[in-house]
Amino acid sequence: MFRYVLTAALALSATPVFANDSIAELGTGGLILSRSDAVAMESEDLYISPEKVTVDYVFRNNTDKDVDAIVAFPMPDIEGDPNEMPAIPDGQNDNFLGFEVTIDGVAAKPQLEQKAFAFGIDISADLKAQNVPLYPFGDAARAALAKLPQAVADDWIDRGLIIEDTTDDGSGMKTVYVPFWQLRSTYWWRSTFPANSAVHVAHRYRPSVGGTSSVSFFYDGQFQGQYAAYKTRYCMDGTFENAIRKAAKGNPDGTPRYFENRIAYVLTTGGNWATGSIGKFKLTVDKGDPKNLVSFCGENVRKVGPTRFEMTAENFYPEHDIDILLLAPSGDGGSGG
């Protein structure tokens, strides 16, 4: 595994991270084609930042016949568990990532396929019969659950569709029903790939950015906690680790003062095309702020701007997904690298 690390020296402090300080990121990726034997991915230009992900593709049909296929964008599965709230850009919308797509520069209108599951059983029909939205985190779902007949609510609790949650809303303790099901969502559309021709497809969305309130792999003056897992997942090397040590010096608790942000991109679906590889691949990672630190795995990465880093490759086979660790200073000071 190759590695590239950008570091910035910050002399700051923070407190150790506990489990309930963490928000999970949702791994999201690119497009999937129903037929891959005739259509190759000629190029992919991937841009990832904390604010947006954009992907520009050129697909080429190398055969003498038009190819009709279904193209799909799988949204990440989300769990309706109030104790495991993931990072969701839009908490009220079925299109919770703000997904958009264009084909040869023209905006497409993909269809949305959604299903809800509890313990692996499709319970979509149960929810629809009671006019309960399948999207579990919106206000509409909670409002609909509050109107359930008692017999239905009792049955759904027994079957694991919902749970009771007791909280203080400011006027005293109240018990409400909250979703506990899993939602699977996929955007899809039919597309024609003309014979011996290229088709340009671009899509964009807001990423799910997980995080913690401070650094989870270094505290009390030493690397610990999730250090071993992070070192492998984000390719943290000696240079990065030295920056963390330097940032922790002078702080009474021996902890660097950073917020931790994480982005996961599922790249391996890019190997599902005719050639099994991406003809020309370009990755741009934008850390967002010059003061931020960023660590991710890559090969021959170069800095192309104050916050941007590029990796390019030809005949690229995506063996691994992309995991990006961003550390943002939680206090004043610091300089970018």
Side-chain angles (χ1 to χ4, degrees):
M1 183 173 288
F2 301 91
R3 53 187 158 194
Y4 179 82
V5 178
L6 167 72
T7 59
L10 298 175
L12 305 169
S13 65
T15 56
V17 173
F18 301 96
N20 59 0
D21 289 327
S22 183
I23 299 175
E25 69 275 22
L26 299 172
T28 311
L31 303 180
I32 297 176
L33 185 68
S34 62
R35 284 189 59 189
S36 60
D37 57 334
V39 179
M41 187 184 292
E42 191 169 86
S43 67
E44 176 178 356
D45 187 344
L46 170 61
Y47 171 91
I48 303 175
S49 78
E51 300 299 326
K52 66 179 179 179
V53 173
T54 63
V55 195
D56 291 284
Y57 303 94
V58 177
F59 298 121
R60 181 170 292 278
N61 177 2
N62 292 314
T63 71
D64 295 328
K65 295 182 179 180
D66 292 352
V67 173
D68 294 320
I70 290 177
V71 183
F73 175 75
M75 301 272 276
D77 293 349
I78 57 176
E79 306 281 348
D81 185 344
N83 299 314
E84 298 292 339
M85 179 67 75
I88 298 178
D90 186 344
Q92 302 296 329
N93 196 327
D94 283 335
N95 189 6
F96 51 88
L97 298 181
F99 173 73
E100 300 174 351
V101 62
T102 62
I103 302 172
D104 287 332
V106 179
K109 295 182 179 180
Q111 299 186 52
L112 176 62
E113 175 77 16
Q114 287 186 312
K115 290 186 177 182
F117 295 86
F119 296 99
I121 300 172
D122 188 344
I123 49 93
S124 306
D126 295 82
L127 299 181
K128 292 177 182 178
Q130 299 297 327
N131 297 313
V132 176
L134 272 60
Y135 181 67
F137 288 124
D139 295 337
R142 297 237 178 170
L145 292 179
K147 299 177 182 178
L148 287 178
Q150 190 62 52
V152 174
D154 291 341
D155 175 60
W156 285 13
I157 290 174
D158 290 341
R159 294 165 56 196
L161 277 69
I162 60 175
I163 59 175
E164 294 180 312
D165 186 33
T166 302
T167 57
D168 188 346
D169 64 358
S171 60
M173 301 299 291
K174 292 184 179 180
T175 299
V176 297
Y177 300 127
V178 296
F180 203 66
W181 61 82
Q182 180 191 65
L183 177 67
R184 297 179 188 171
S185 306
T186 300
Y187 278 100
W188 66 276
W189 60 95
R190 296 183 183 277
S191 188
T192 297
F193 297 86
N196 297 306
S197 298
V199 175
H200 294 74
V201 180
H203 69 80
R204 61 182 294 157
Y205 56 88
R206 293 177 60 193
S208 167
V209 182
T212 57
S213 60
S214 61
V215 176
S216 62
F217 56 88
F218 188 101
Y219 46 91
D220 295 334
Q222 60 183 326
F223 289 99
Q224 53 182 311
Q226 301 188 69
Y227 170 67
Y230 272 39
K231 187 176 182 66
T232 299
R233 183 177 182 183
Y234 302 109
C235 293
M236 301 189 304
D237 69 357
T239 305
F240 184 86
E241 293 173 7
N242 287 337
I244 298 298
R245 292 189 185 95
K246 185 174 182 179
K249 283 185 178 180
N251 297 328
D253 58 8
T255 303
R257 186 179 294 168
Y258 291 118
F259 291 115
E260 189 177 297
N261 297 296
R262 302 179 301 270
I263 303 173
Y265 184 87
V266 181
L267 183 64
T268 48
T269 53
N272 293 337
W273 307 94
T275 62
S277 63
I278 303 169
K280 293 183 178 180
F281 176 71
K282 176 182 176 182
L283 168 66
T284 302
V285 174
D286 191 330
K287 63 175 182 171
D289 189 309
K291 295 181 180 179
N292 293 345
L293 310 181
V294 60
S295 182
F296 62 95
C297 302
E299 180 180 4
N300 298 323
V301 178
R302 60 193 183 93
K303 187 174 183 178
V304 296
T307 63
R308 295 191 179 194
F309 305 84
E310 273 186 13
M311 166 187 160
T312 59
E314 294 189 4
N315 298 318
F316 177 72
Y317 184 79
E319 296 183 89
H320 306 285
D321 295 327
I322 299 171
D323 291 292
I324 300 169
L325 176 64
L326 288 164
L327 301 184
S330 56
D332 294 332
S335 60

